[in-house]
Amino acid sequence: MSDGLLERRNRAFGAGAALFYETPLHIVRGEGAWLYDAGGRRYVDMYNNVPCVGHGNPRVAEAIGRQQATLNVHSRYLHEDIIRLAERVRTGRGASAAFPSPRPSARRSPASPVRP
């Protein structure tokens, strides 16, 4: 990794911002379960939700693009799509998930994962 890139990152994020590895990897792209560094070396990605969908998954990219072209908000507004997703997950037709609540009282009880 270039020292210049690390210096820029430290200025932008602060020198205390965590990085993985003593010598950080300069990752430039991902494909499926693989990450590629600036020198072309590939690494299996076992951290970034790759077991679920992989990097560059065309269905996920298309869905993200469709949603981004429509609306980009969080779940603190009423919106059909986020409710539809929660209903799918809760009835077991979607991926396993838990929906944490931003309310302090709700954080006292554990979130229950939903099985697909």
Side-chain angles (χ1 to χ4, degrees), residues 37-59:
D37 70 13
R41 184 173 180 187
R42 76 180 188 168
Y43 305 82
V44 66
D45 187 348
M46 300 176 76
Y47 182 77
N48 287 307
N49 301 316
V50 170
C52 299
V53 298
H55 294 281
N57 181 298
R59 288 180 56 204

Side-chain angles (χ1 to χ4, degrees), residues 28-41:
V28 296
R29 70 182 184 93
E31 182 180 321
W34 300 100
L35 293 173
Y36 295 85
D37 70 13
R41 184 173 180 187

